[in-house]
Each structure stands twice: as C-alpha cells, then as structure tokens.
Amino acid sequence: MLLADDAVKAAFMPAETPELAAFLQAAPQPVFNCNFRDYHRRRNIALLLQYDGRDFAGFQRQKNALSVQEVLERCLSRLCGEDILIYGCSRTDAKVSALAYVANFYTDAAIPLAAFPLACQALLPPSVSVLEAVEVEHDFNARFSTLAKTYYYDLLLARFVPALLRPSLCRCYYQLDVNKMQEAAALLVGEHDFRAFCAAKAQVTDYRRRVLSLQLREFTLAAPFNLPCLRFVISGDGFLYNMVRIIVGTLTDVGRGRLSVAEVAALLAAGERTRAGMTMPPEGLTLAQVYYPERLFASLSDSPAAGGRRS
C-alpha cells in the first residue's frame, strides 16, 4: 500500500502509549519448558520477516494449502542442509500480512548471520522477505517469549478502491463518526472477558485478554490517490481468534450509527458474539510489532517493534 511520507515513517515506529510502555517494563521474563524439537542443535537463530499474506493460508503449516511456515522451512532446510522446524510468533489467519514478524529455528549450520537475508531471497517467493537474522539464547522461542503484540487494521474511507490498492485494503464507504468510535474503543482497553469478540470455533477455555492500547489514526494515501484512511492500532498481551477483526467491525458499526457506545459496553459485559459487529475481511489486517524482554534486531534500533522493551 502506498502511504503518505508520515505514515511510511510511522510504519516501524511503536504505537506506544504509557500503558503499553509500563506493561513492557513491568512484565516478568516468560517461563516455559524448553522441550522443543532440535533443541540439541548448536545454534538458535531468530529471523525478522515481512510477508504479504494474500498468497498464503496463514503462517502455520496447513495440510491442503500453502503457508508461510511451509515455504520458509523448505527454504531453510535447503540452505542449512538439514530438516528445519520453524517456530513463529503468531499463527496469523489466511491473507493476513506481517510487517515485523519473528520466527526462530535451531540449526548446526555454520552459515554467517549476515548471509541469511540474501540467501533466503533467492529461495523464497517474492511475497516473503527475511530482513535480518540474529543468534539468540537457546531457550528463546518466538511464540512463548512474547510479551505483547501490536496489530494494524486499515480502512479506506472511499466509495471506490483504485485497482492497484484493491488487494491490500478494506473499503468502508459509510460516513464514520470517529469520535464515537474512540469513545467505544476506550471501553475495550484493559483486561476483560472478550468472548463477544471471538470467533465461535475458537478452541479456548479462557477468554480473558488484556488490551493495552487501542487507537484510531486518520491518514491519507500518497499521491496520486490522496484518499482518506483510518488505521486501528491495537496492542495487547494476547488475542483470541479473529478478535482484532471483530473489534474493528464493532467499532465501525458504532461509527456508522448501528451500535451505540452504551451497547458496546453491554455486549462486552454480556459476552454475546451475536451482538457484536461483523468479522472484517483479513486483507486489512497486519501484524505490526512483537515485543520481547530484550531488543533483538539492529534494523529496528529506533523502535521496540519485534525487538523488546525499551532500555
């Protein structure tokens, strides 16, 4: 998506509020059992990735569809000369993209870290990029070491979508009252039972999650489009299945007058999925940032995105 200069500069900047910063500073070191396959291998390497999710059925390997994990494991297995198993920081649904995704794998290969991005580029499809590789502690795991994540959801506020932008944006042609949406968004910040914002087929027993920050940011696409957009920026310590997309659908209903702020408070308390908004299409969703106890990647030195808490 072609963004105005200020939005491009903000793409890797942390959507950091005081609440998020305080949480990252106070969060304890993750504790988990390091009983991972290939743990005996000498090196544990973390990768910083970007991918265009439109080409994939999500990150996690699927039986009958192409996933990011599959193409990445195929690439690294060939490169390292051994069977590689990738651990990703998030499953991400089909057609969901990632701006700063973190994955790790164990290997005995002596390949220099600086060689991974270019070598992977030759073996990966154009829709997946390895931006950086770093060697991490042996007990680091991209999923279980995570403290928090930030997602973006982008709405194009226009009656038409230019052809070149059609695959990467979700269009909303209704007039939206952003002030009312912000009022409703404030109700969702904090620790709540989010079962009303979870897909029915989610296989979980605990619906409590903590939303650390939920902001709405208006921006404009770069010339020649000059079209208005609205970005939802949501940070949390964890998310239920389709939770972000349902939150966006619910807030959009508030903006167009289909739901009141009071009704959002009521449906959150009642936990009834049928009273919340629609599950928005996946194309507008991007995993933007992943937070760990320590900074990982030098290429993100100006931001804790995918790199840990502030020092």
Side-chain angles (χ1 to χ4, degrees), residues 6 37 86 115 117 128 147 155 162 207 222 232 243 245 252 254 264 278:
D6 59 342
R37 203 198 85 175
I86 284 287
V128 182
L147 297 179
L155 283 181
Y207 292 89
F232 299 76
M243 178 174 160
R245 291 160 59 189
T252 301
V254 172
V264 173
M278 67 175 286

Side-chain angles (χ1 to χ4, degrees), residues 169-246:
L169 279 171
C170 179
R171 176 177 61 113
C172 178
Y173 50 82
Y174 299 104
Q175 285 288 114
L176 297 179
D177 186 333
V178 176
N179 289 331
K180 288 291 185 185
M181 296 169 71
Q182 290 173 331
E183 285 184 49
L187 299 174
L188 304 179
V189 176
E191 185 175 341
H192 303 285
D193 183 318
F194 280 99
R195 72 182 66 225
F197 298 88
C198 178
K201 62 180 180 180
Q203 298 179 342
V204 296
T205 56
D206 183 7
Y207 292 89
R208 297 198 70 82
R209 297 292 185 274
R210 184 185 305 180
V211 171
L212 301 165
S213 174
L214 177 49
Q215 301 174 321
L216 280 64
R217 300 177 180 175
E218 298 176 83
F219 65 95
T220 303
L221 291 178
F225 304 110
N226 296 318
L227 294 171
C229 293
L230 181 62
R231 169 169 288 179
F232 299 76
V233 184
I234 180 168
S235 302
D237 63 355
F239 295 93
L240 299 166
Y241 185 42
N242 286 347
M243 178 174 160
V244 175
R245 291 160 59 189
I246 296 171

Side-chain angles (χ1 to χ4, degrees), residues 51-69:
Y51 57 82
D52 182 343
R54 292 172 294 166
D55 292 342
F56 302 102
F59 180 84
Q60 188 169 347
R61 181 180 283 273
Q62 308 285 323
K63 288 184 178 180
N64 301 309
L66 187 67
S67 68
V68 179
Q69 183 179 13

Side-chain angles (χ1 to χ4, degrees), residues 261-283:
V261 175
E263 286 174 311
V264 173
L267 70 89
L268 177 64
E272 297 180 19
R273 171 68 188 95
T274 56
R275 296 170 61 182
M278 67 175 286
T279 302
M280 297 293 281
E283 288 84 356

